[in-house]
Amino acid sequence: MSRPFDRHLLDGLGVLRAVVEAGSFVRAGEALGLTQSAVSRAVARVEDRVGVRLFRRTARSISLTDEGLRFFESVAPHLSAIEDATIEAAGSRAKVRGRLRVNVDGSIGQFVLTPRLGPFLAQHPDLSVEIAVRDRMGDLVRDGFDVAVRFGLPEPSSLKSRLLMRTRIVTCASPAYIARHGAPRRPSDVEKHPCILMRDPTTGSHFGWEFVRGKKVVPVNAAGQLMVNGVGPLLAACLAGQGIAQLLELYTRELVADGRLVQVLPEWADETYPLYAYHHAAPLMSAKVRAFLEFVVSLTRA
């Protein structure tokens, strides 16, 4: 026979989510106003109820077991839905509240989201937002994230992906560099110039360079002494005249407009790079995630 529903189970599931998000029993207790032993007992009750071990515990860290991850992936969206329904039933005017953890590319976090978050936070005073920069998206559920905003094509996943925008890939150099070395006149000329390379975290090498005009694609053997792993250093080196760089137009538009950078080979800049948001399916989407997605959509359209 099935066991009767434990009225304390929902509380335990809330504690479970806090542990996953915080990454430790101590920090989860601090967030919930509970002692570490109370958090441990709540998790133990859930483990006893579902009949599997949810966490691997060591002296220094905890992590979800495979069974724990599958269980948490199943219940986490429903916990957010229950929270939203409870708030709405109580007549709360501030349904967007709690903590929202956002997984982003470093460039998105630095140049797009954080400089423009002020109005969004002011609109939702009961919401706190954590922007976490990651080389890769990883597993949002296991790592305790609510939503991700990342460049590149989507990988197979149970999450929903939403195309936010496409931005062109442009090739730039500083005016001082152009004055010293001249500008390439055709894609193959780039191989004679020092290039500032961007590291590809999936390969450890640099991203390949190619030039696109309509349907014509010309790959080039870009080479140089300097390779970086972030848009900030890439822009800084390019502005300092250390070579030619390929960047997203999203980050260079104002710099080209005010003359701090010069776009080279502009007729060969038809390649685009997509920006996606990742989240749970709409019926299980929390109010805070829905509000954040609306904000990001309006931001990228602007």
Side-chain angles (χ1 to χ4, degrees), residues 14-300:
V15 173
L16 170 65
R17 181 172 63 175
V19 173
V20 173
E21 292 177 348
S24 81
F25 282 33
V26 173
R27 289 195 294 271
E30 292 172 350
L32 297 172
L34 299 174
T35 64
Q36 180 181 352
S37 59
V39 172
S40 297
R41 288 195 300 270
V43 171
R45 283 196 296 268
V46 177
E47 289 179 324
D48 179 66
R49 181 65 175 86
V50 299
V52 297
R53 186 182 180 188
L54 300 176
F55 289 102
R56 299 184 189 92
R57 300 170 177 85
T58 69
R60 294 187 177 182
S61 66
I62 63 168
S63 62
L64 285 168
T65 63
D66 293 342
E67 295 84 359
L69 176 58
R70 287 194 294 269
F71 177 70
F72 186 70
E73 286 177 336
S74 299
V75 303
H78 299 284
L79 289 174
S80 295
I82 291 171
E83 182 180 66
D84 290 342
T86 302
I87 294 171
E88 186 171 2
S92 172
R93 296 173 60 189
K95 290 185 289 186
V96 178
R97 67 180 188 181
R99 184 172 69 148
L100 180 75
R101 300 191 72 228
V102 186
N103 176 309
V104 297
D105 292 309
S107 53
I108 287 295
Q110 180 178 356
F111 295 100
V112 179
L113 282 181
T114 50
R116 298 172 175 84
L117 268 177
F120 177 72
L121 295 175
Q123 184 181 0
H124 305 292
D126 295 324
L127 180 70
S128 63
V129 176
E130 178 186 346
I131 303 294
V133 174
R134 295 287 191 274
D135 282 344
R136 301 179 184 180
M137 183 167 70
D139 191 310
L140 293 190
V141 174
R142 181 183 59 197
D143 297 336
F145 290 103
D146 300 292
V147 63
V149 181
R150 306 192 65 88
F151 274 112
L153 294 174
E155 299 178 1
S157 169
S158 61
L159 298 171
K160 295 293 183 181
S161 59
R162 178 173 183 173
L163 179 64
L164 297 173
M165 66 178 297
R166 291 183 179 274
T167 184
R168 293 194 309 157
I169 297 176
V170 296
T171 308
C172 295
S174 71
Y177 177 88
I178 298 295
R180 290 196 309 270
H181 302 282
R185 296 180 178 275
R186 59 186 65 84
S188 59
D189 291 344
V190 171
E191 298 182 354
K192 305 172 185 176
H193 288 260
C195 298
I196 308 165
L197 307 173
M198 173 72 88
R199 182 179 182 274
D200 182 348
T202 62
T203 65
S205 183
H206 65 82
F207 284 103
W209 283 36
E210 59 186 24
F211 291 85
V212 179
R213 182 171 65 183
K215 295 183 178 180
K216 189 172 183 179
V217 179
V218 178
V220 300
N221 183 25
Q225 292 178 278
L226 179 61
M227 181 168 66
V228 299
N229 69 341
V231 172
L234 184 64
L235 275 172
C238 191
L239 287 165
Q242 295 177 20
I244 296 175
Q246 283 200 334
L247 302 117
L248 299 181
E249 188 180 28
L250 181 66
Y251 308 132
T252 62
R253 188 180 295 116
E254 293 180 3
L255 297 172
V256 171
D258 66 18
R260 283 182 287 171
L261 286 180
V262 176
Q263 184 179 352
V264 300
L265 299 170
E267 69 277 13
W268 287 91
D270 290 343
E271 182 182 6
T272 61
Y273 206 48
L275 178 67
Y276 280 88
Y278 299 86
H279 56 87
H280 292 290
L284 301 177
M285 193 187 305
S286 66
K288 60 187 178 183
V289 171
R290 187 176 294 108
F292 181 78
L293 288 175
E294 291 172 357
F295 161 71
V296 173
V297 168
S298 65
L299 187 63
T300 50

